[in-house]
C-alpha cells in the first residue's frame, strides 16, 4: 500500500518474539486499517521460529512498515526503541499474537480529536480456544471526560493495566519521559500508572476494538517467584511516581490495593496455574 510519504497520524508499535503462528493475522488486521495515514514499526526481538522472515516479507509488501532487528532484549526494550523512532501524532501498541478491528485507528483517532484528548481508552475482548469473551466491567466506565487522578487510575486499571487498550498521544510519552522499565516483566503496571497520571484529558470509547489472544506461553501468565518480585517492583515504581506527583491519598491507596491484589493472584497461580475462570482448555499454544 502506498502512503505517499505522508506524516503518519498514528504509529503502531508491534514487538515480535516467536509468534510465527499468529503474526500474519496480526499484521493483516493492522495493514487493513481504514485510516491509511499510519506507520507500522515491527521490532523483531531475536526471534528463532521464522517470525523474523515474516517481518521482512511484510516490509516489502507495505511501505508503511519498517523493521528493527535486535538481539533478544525483552518486551520493554523493544517498545522503547520503537517509541524513539515513532513519528505519529499518536501511538498504539499491539502485541504480535493479538489482532485489532480494522476501524480501531480511525475511530480512536477521530474520538481523540473530537474530545481534544491525549489518551483514549477503548474496549477489548479475549480470544480463547473456547470462544470470545468480554469483560463486562468495561461497560461501566464513564463516557465523560476524565480529569481527576483517581478516576484516571480506575479507568486505566479496569479489566487490567495492559497498554494496548489505549491510543496515546506521543507528546505524553516524550514530554513526560514515559518509557517501559527494562529487564522487568509486568512492566505495564508502571507504564500505565505513569501514563494515566500524566495525561491531560482521558476519554473512553465504548467500542470493542482489540482482541487479546489467551496463550499460556505469554509473559502475561508468568507465575514464578521471580515474576512476582518483578511485578511488585513495577507496581512500586508506579506508586513512587504517584507520590512524587503528590496525588491524593485515595489514588495512592488505590495503587497499593491494585499491587496487593496482583501479588495475591500471582501467588495463587504458582500453586495452580489454571482455575475456573481460565481452565487449561481456553489457552492457545
Amino acid at each position: 500500500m502506498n502512503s505517499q510519504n505522508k506524516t503518519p497520524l498514528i504509529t503502531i508499535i508491534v514487538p515480535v518474539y516467536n509468534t510465527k503462528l499468529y503474526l500474519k493475522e496480526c499484521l493483516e488486521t493492522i495493514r487493513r486499517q481504514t485510516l491509511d495515514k499510519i506507520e507500522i514499526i515491527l521490532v523483531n526481538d531475536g526471534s528463532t521460529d521464522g517470525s523474523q522472515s515474516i517481518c521482512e516479507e511484510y516490509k516489502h509488501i507495505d511501505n508503511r512498515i519498517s523493521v528493527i532487528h535486535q538481539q533478544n532484549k525483552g518486551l520493554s526494550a523493544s517498545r522503547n526503541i520503537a517509541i524513539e523512532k515513532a513519528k505519529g501524532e499518536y501511538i498504539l501498541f499491539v502485541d504480535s499474537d493479538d489482532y485489532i478491528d480494522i476501524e480501531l485507528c480511525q475511530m480512536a483517532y477521530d474520538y481523540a480529536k473530537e474530545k481534544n484528548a491525549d489518551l483514549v481508552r477503548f474496549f477489548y475482548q479475549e480470544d480463547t480456544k473456547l470462544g470470545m469473551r468480554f469483560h463486562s466491567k468495561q461497560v461501566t466506565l464513564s463516557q465523560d471526560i476524565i480529569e481527576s487522578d483517581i478516576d484516571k487510575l480506575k479507568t486505566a486499571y479496569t479489566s487490567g493495566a495492559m497498554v494496548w487498550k489505549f491510543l496515546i498521544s506521543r507528546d505524553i510519552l516524550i514530554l513526560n519521559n514515559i518509557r517501559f522499565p527494562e529487564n522487568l516483566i509486568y512492566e505495564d503496571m508502571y507504564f500505565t500508572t505513569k501514563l494515566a497520571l500524566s495525561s491531560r484529558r482521558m476519554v473512553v470509547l465504548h467500542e470493542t476494538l482489540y482482541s487479546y489472544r489467551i496463550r499460556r506461553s505469554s509473559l502475561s501468565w508468568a507465575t514464578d517467584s521471580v515474576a512476582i518480585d518483578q511485578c511488585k517492583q513495577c507496581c512500586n515504581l508506579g506508586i513512587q511516581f504517584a507520590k512524587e506527583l503528590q496525588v491524593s491519598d485515595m489514588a495512592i491507596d488505590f495503587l497499593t490495593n491494585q499491587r496487593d491484589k496482583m501479588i495475591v493472584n500471582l501467588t495463587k497461580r504458582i500453586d495452580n496455574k489454571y482455575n475456573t475462570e481460565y481452565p487449561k482448555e481456553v489457552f492457545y499454544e
Side-chain angles (χ1 to χ4, degrees), residues 130-175:
L130 297 181
M132 305 303 291
R133 184 159 59 184
F134 179 79
H135 283 245
S136 58
K137 285 184 179 179
Q138 296 178 103
V139 299
T140 66
L141 294 174
S142 172
Q143 289 182 279
D144 296 330
I145 294 166
I146 301 158
E147 294 178 314
S148 74
D149 289 340
I150 184 62
D151 288 339
K152 287 178 184 176
L153 290 172
K154 287 181 177 179
T155 300
Y157 271 81
T158 296
S159 300
M162 298 79 71
V163 300
W164 38 249
K165 60 185 187 182
F166 300 101
L167 183 69
I168 305 163
S169 167
R170 186 165 64 94
D171 283 348
I172 297 182
L173 305 184
I174 302 305
L175 296 176

Side-chain angles (χ1 to χ4, degrees), residues 32-45:
R32 292 169 53 214
Q33 289 297 300
T34 55
L35 181 69
D36 182 57
K37 291 176 64 174
I38 61 175
E39 71 168 344
I40 305 158
I41 302 177
L42 311 181
V43 185
N44 169 43
D45 190 35

Side-chain angles (χ1 to χ4, degrees), residues 52-191:
Q52 63 275 30
S53 298
I54 295 175
C55 291
E56 286 296 316
E57 174 188 343
Y58 272 78
K59 181 178 74 172
H60 290 98
I61 291 174
D62 194 323
N63 64 5
R64 298 173 299 174
I65 295 176
S66 61
V67 181
I68 299 170
H69 293 284
Q70 64 182 24
Q71 293 182 341
N72 183 251
K73 296 181 180 179
L75 178 60
S76 289
S78 298
R79 287 170 169 170
N80 286 342
I81 192 172
I83 290 172
E84 301 300 328
K85 303 286 186 182
K87 298 182 179 67
E89 181 182 356
Y90 288 85
I91 288 177
L92 174 71
F93 296 100
V94 179
D95 286 353
S96 61
D97 50 356
D98 298 336
Y99 53 97
I100 60 177
D101 189 286
I102 63 171
E103 298 275 359
L104 191 164
C105 288
Q106 187 73 66
M107 294 181 70
Y109 181 82
D110 288 348
Y111 201 60
K113 288 304 192 181
E114 176 188 340
K115 300 295 185 180
N116 189 26
D118 53 9
L119 193 59
V120 178
R121 161 77 207 267
F122 45 82
F123 295 168
Y124 75 94
Q125 60 188 354
E126 293 178 343
D127 181 353
T128 82
K129 290 189 75 173
L130 297 181
M132 305 303 291
R133 184 159 59 184
F134 179 79
H135 283 245
S136 58
K137 285 184 179 179
Q138 296 178 103
V139 299
T140 66
L141 294 174
S142 172
Q143 289 182 279
D144 296 330
I145 294 166
I146 301 158
E147 294 178 314
S148 74
D149 289 340
I150 184 62
D151 288 339
K152 287 178 184 176
L153 290 172
K154 287 181 177 179
T155 300
Y157 271 81
T158 296
S159 300
M162 298 79 71
V163 300
W164 38 249
K165 60 185 187 182
F166 300 101
L167 183 69
I168 305 163
S169 167
R170 186 165 64 94
D171 283 348
I172 297 182
L173 305 184
I174 302 305
L175 296 176
N176 297 283
N177 193 29
I178 302 176
R179 300 293 186 274
F180 293 90
E182 299 189 11
N183 302 313
L184 294 172
I185 58 175
Y186 293 102
E187 63 289 317
D188 287 4
M189 305 297 288
Y190 167 68
F191 188 95

